[in-house]
């Protein structure tokens, strides 16, 4: 009788559970039994592992073989357990020393020829193993750079089972030359990126690159003609993490403005980069060769997206949705009024909590969802309702129904509401000069965030939009009399209690942009104008750029 064990990791969302893979050999009729709540893909590993072991030059044990995955109560899915199963079987057959693999975490899929194929979710899996106290990892060579992002772990990247057996038996390691594809894509990388899973997702790479002629290889804010008020709202949103609603006729530049927000946001911190990379790795959106997402992501799903694609879900174990793919970045909902009402209202919980909890029969998954939401919508189905002399023929009842698709509770969670005016001929031809560049605005946003971070240094919050209203009212006080106008709006029903708290948060962001120690009456007036859309003449005096 032979027994050996190795370790792998089961992913539930972006959280991992270390799984002990146990192999037991007993005299009897040759058979291979796999237990421990495996899914269909994992059950098929019996044939993959057997073929891989034989084609790697090792002898398959002709005995009764039982492989158990412990803890048995945790659902296990995917082909990432193949390498651990093969190692445990070879350990039980004494091809390799069982003591060598006892505390080794192995993740990878095996091809029938013994090659080790990369799998998704390497980063969260290695993070979970490191948190559980494991320090030695074996992963596919193509994923080694991703695994090495985790500190204080030793990572071995292998291209084949033959190489792993040689390393574990201290034999000469054979060279596994990659096949010459003559410029064609490497088929071994096919499992890393899932086509069509991104829903308009980009990871905002290339902020430091320049194209031909030295021009920046990213969207320039100065390319937006006019829209001075909307540009100021973008700056406030990026500085404080406030959600933004852009309303205006088609062609006014709403999408152009939204696409430039990720580039005025500061680069991700190391911890945020690991969080974002983990989500994108599980979702199959991490491009090979770029293991770390350093810039805030940008996700723009189509208005036909379902509720499951927005918040996460799917058959079996729930997968990350758009709100998680936009974690620490921007979620842009263009033509927001065309989205399904249930899909939009499902955003209300993650907007408040910064995470989404999905309950399914296969388990409950908690996914991160701390994002900056940008909504863009036309004023009516034809888009010409606010244009003078444009000939809008939409009946008043149709306009009301169209605008009511964005529910009051959802809009109450949006801090900034801006009317995007049509671009004038003077602005379009550049007679008024170009607006400020992305780099100039990004510098001001970074300075404002630094002031916010210094004030919130000893708290669990990082941005003004995250601070509870009670804390702002009792711990950090505005200037005397600064909230008088906001309190009157609350009494008149123009603001809800949540709305007053959000006005105060925006006022703190405006004060940070202006370099003030606390909000004054003008800062609160700017916040009220951005919140209610009622012109008060305050935004013109904000002094945060053109």
């Amino acid at each position: 009788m032979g027994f050996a064990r190795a370790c792998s990791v089961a992913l539930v969302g972006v959280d991992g559970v270390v799984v002990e893979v146990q192999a037991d050999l007993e005299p009897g009729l040759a058979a291979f039994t796999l237990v421990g709540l495996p899914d269909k893909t994992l059950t098929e590993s019996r044939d993959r592992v057997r073929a891989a072991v034989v084609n790697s030059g090792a002898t398959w044990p002709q005995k009764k073989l039982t492989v158990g995955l412990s803890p048995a109560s945790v659902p296990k899915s995917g082909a990432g357990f193949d390498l651990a199963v093969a190692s445990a079987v070879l350990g039980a057959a004494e091809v390799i020393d069982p003591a060598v693999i006892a505390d080794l975490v192995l993740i990878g899929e095996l091809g029938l020829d013994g090659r080790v194929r990369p799998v998704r979710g390497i980063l969260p899996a290695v993070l979970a193993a490191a948190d559980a106290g494991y320090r030695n990892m074996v992963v596919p060579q193509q994923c080694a750079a991703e695994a090495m992002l985790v500190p204080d772990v030793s990572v071995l990247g292998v291209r084949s089972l033959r190489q792993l057996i040689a390393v574990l038996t201290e034999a000469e390691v054979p060279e596994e030359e990659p096949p010459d594809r003559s410029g064609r894509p490497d088929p071994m990388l096919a499992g890393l990126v899932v086509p069509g899973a991104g829903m308009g997702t980009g990871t905002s790479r290339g902020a430091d690159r320049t194209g031909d002629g030295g021009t920046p290889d990213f969207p320039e804010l100065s390319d937006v003609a006019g829209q001075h008020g909307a540009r100021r709202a973008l700056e406030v949103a990026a500085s404080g993490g406030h959600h933004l609603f852009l309303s205006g006729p088609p062609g006014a530049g709403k999408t152009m403005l939204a696409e430039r927000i990720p580039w005025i946001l500061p680069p991700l911190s190391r911890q945020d980069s690991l969080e974002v990379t983990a989500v994108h790795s599980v979702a199959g959106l991490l491009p090979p060769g770029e293991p770390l997402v350093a810039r805030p992501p940008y996700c723009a799903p189509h208005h036909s997206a379902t509720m499951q694609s927005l918040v996460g879900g799917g058959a079996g174990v729930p997968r990350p949705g758009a709100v998680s793919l936009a974690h620490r970045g921007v979620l842009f909902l263009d033509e927001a009024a065309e989205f399904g009402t249930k899909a939009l209202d499902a955003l209300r919980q993650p907007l408040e909590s910064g995470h989404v909890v999905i309950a399914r029969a296969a388990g409950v998954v908690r996914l991160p969802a701390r994002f900056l939401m940008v909504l863009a919508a036309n004023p009516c189905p034809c888009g010409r309702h606010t244009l003078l002399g444009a000939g809008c023929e939409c009946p008043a009842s149709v306009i009301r129904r169209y605008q009511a698709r964005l529910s009051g509770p959802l809009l109450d969670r949006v801090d900034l509401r801006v009317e995007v005016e049509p671009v004038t001929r003077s602005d379009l031809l550049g007679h008024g000069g170009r607006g400020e560049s992305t780099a100039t605005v990004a510098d001001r946003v970074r300075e404002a965030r630094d002031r916010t971070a210094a004030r919130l240094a000893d708290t669990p919050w990082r941005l003004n939009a995250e601070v509870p209203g009670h804390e702002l009212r009792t711990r950090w006080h505005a200037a005397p009399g600064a909230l008088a106008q906001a309190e009157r709006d609350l009494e008149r029903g123009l603001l809800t209690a949540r709305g007053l708290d959000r006005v105060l948060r925006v006022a703190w962001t405006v004060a940070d942009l202006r370099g003030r120690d606390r909000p004054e009456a003008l800062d609160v007036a700017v916040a009220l104008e951005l919140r209610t859309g009622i012109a008060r003449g305050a935004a013109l005096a904000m002094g945060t750029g053109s």
Side-chain angles (χ1 to χ4, degrees):
M1 182 179 70
F3 176 84
R5 64 183 182 90
C7 295
S8 192
V9 178
L11 287 177
V12 182
V14 294
D15 297 320
V17 178
V18 176
V19 173
E20 190 176 85
V21 180
Q22 303 170 340
D24 178 70
L25 283 175
E26 296 181 356
L29 186 65
F32 188 171
T33 304
L34 183 65
V35 297
L37 212 58
D39 71 343
K40 179 65 174 177
T41 305
L42 185 50
T43 301
E44 292 174 349
S45 69
R46 295 177 299 185
D47 300 315
R48 291 194 302 271
V49 169
R50 181 188 292 110
V53 169
V54 173
N55 290 326
S56 297
T59 302
W60 184 259
Q62 297 300 316
K63 295 182 180 180
K64 181 181 179 181
L65 171 62
T66 303
V67 174
L69 308 175
S70 179
S73 59
V74 176
K76 305 164 190 73
S77 62
F81 293 87
D82 288 1
L83 204 57
V85 171
S87 300
V89 171
L90 293 174
E94 298 182 352
V95 175
I96 57 179
D97 186 358
V100 174
I101 61 173
D103 294 318
L104 200 60
V105 176
L106 304 104
I107 306 168
E109 177 185 347
L110 285 174
L112 299 184
D113 58 355
R115 289 184 298 170
V116 179
R117 301 180 62 94
V119 294
R120 301 193 303 271
I122 287 291
L123 177 59
V126 175
L127 281 170
D131 291 341
Y134 294 87
R135 291 293 174 263
N136 298 312
M137 318 287 171
V138 177
V139 300
Q141 190 178 68
Q142 297 91 334
C143 302
E146 184 181 344
M148 290 178 182
L149 295 173
V150 181
D152 302 325
V153 297
S154 175
V155 177
L156 172 64
V158 294
R159 295 189 66 90
S160 68
L161 183 59
R162 285 182 291 270
Q163 286 187 338
L164 178 60
I165 295 173
V167 171
L168 296 179
T169 58
E170 298 183 351
E172 182 179 356
V173 179
E175 289 291 336
E176 296 287 349
E177 294 293 336
D180 182 13
R181 302 295 301 171
S182 301
R184 289 177 290 171
D186 186 356
M188 295 291 286
L189 302 177
L192 285 182
V193 180
V194 180
M199 296 177 291
T201 302
T203 49
S204 303
R205 288 176 170 83
D208 300 324
R209 296 197 305 264
T210 56
D212 295 337
T215 57
D217 191 20
F218 57 86
E220 250 298 341
L221 192 58
S222 60
D223 293 340
V224 180
Q227 306 302 352
H228 306 298
R231 289 165 59 95
R232 282 189 288 267
L234 251 66
E235 191 170 336
V236 174
S239 300
H242 306 288
H243 306 304
L244 174 64
F245 177 37
L246 300 172
S247 176
K254 301 186 295 294
T255 302
M256 287 185 67
L257 289 165
E259 289 175 345
R260 281 146 179 80
I261 295 181
W263 303 100
I264 64 176
L265 293 173
L268 298 175
S269 66
R270 178 72 177 185
Q271 181 60 35
D272 290 345
S273 292
L274 291 177
E275 292 178 5
V276 173
T277 302
V279 174
H280 284 241
S281 177
V282 169
L285 297 174
L286 197 61
E290 298 185 46
L292 186 66
V293 179
R295 295 290 310 176
Y298 174 81
C299 187
H302 191 261
H303 60 257
S304 61
T306 63
M307 181 172 64
Q308 288 77 14
S309 67
L310 283 180
V311 300
V317 178
R319 310 292 294 179
V323 296
S324 297
L325 298 177
H327 180 58
R328 300 299 180 188
V330 178
L331 175 65
F332 177 47
L333 303 183
D334 199 5
E335 304 294 346
E338 302 292 345
F339 280 79
T341 303
K342 290 184 178 180
L344 288 175
D345 285 341
L347 300 175
R348 287 152 54 178
Q349 184 260 340
L351 285 175
E352 289 288 334
S353 62
H355 64 267
V356 59
V357 178
I358 307 169
R360 295 290 187 271
V364 178
V365 175
R366 184 181 187 272
L367 298 168
R370 180 72 67 183
F371 56 90
L372 192 162
M373 182 180 69
V374 181
L375 303 174
N378 297 326
C380 68
C382 75
R384 301 191 297 269
H385 175 59
T386 57
L387 298 177
L388 295 177
C392 174
E393 298 179 354
C394 299
S397 59
V398 173
I399 296 175
R400 285 196 300 270
R401 284 197 301 270
Y402 185 81
Q403 295 177 349
R405 293 180 182 178
L406 299 177
S407 66
L410 176 64
L411 290 180
D412 201 35
R413 290 166 168 82
V414 179
D415 299 345
L416 313 175
R417 306 173 190 177
V418 179
E419 290 289 337
V420 181
E421 301 295 335
V423 180
T424 64
R425 180 173 62 89
S426 176
D427 289 331
L428 192 60
L429 298 179
H431 293 163
R434 298 187 68 184
E436 291 179 312
S437 67
T438 298
T440 301
V441 178
D443 288 340
R444 282 203 301 269
V445 170
R446 186 183 65 253
E447 292 172 0
R449 286 202 172 198
D450 289 343
R451 295 190 188 98
T452 304
R455 183 173 63 253
L456 304 178
D458 298 327
T459 71
W461 311 293
R462 301 162 51 181
L463 298 174
N464 289 321
E466 301 173 5
V467 183
H470 173 75
E471 295 290 335
L472 288 177
R473 293 192 301 269
T474 59
R475 186 169 177 179
W476 294 285
H477 298 281
L483 294 175
Q485 181 62 52
E487 292 169 356
R488 287 194 293 270
D489 285 359
L490 177 65
E491 292 176 354
R492 290 186 295 175
L494 296 177
L495 285 178
T496 63
R498 180 191 288 119
L500 179 61
D501 288 342
R502 292 184 175 274
V503 165
L504 189 53
R505 294 172 185 170
V506 175
W508 272 103
T509 299
V510 175
D512 288 333
L513 281 167
R514 302 178 68 190
R516 299 182 183 275
D517 293 333
R518 59 179 178 174
E520 298 181 354
L522 180 60
D523 303 321
V524 177
V526 171
L528 281 170
E529 184 170 329
L530 292 173
R531 170 75 182 182
T532 62
I534 301 175
R536 304 166 192 261
L540 296 177
M542 195 170 110
T544 60
S546 61

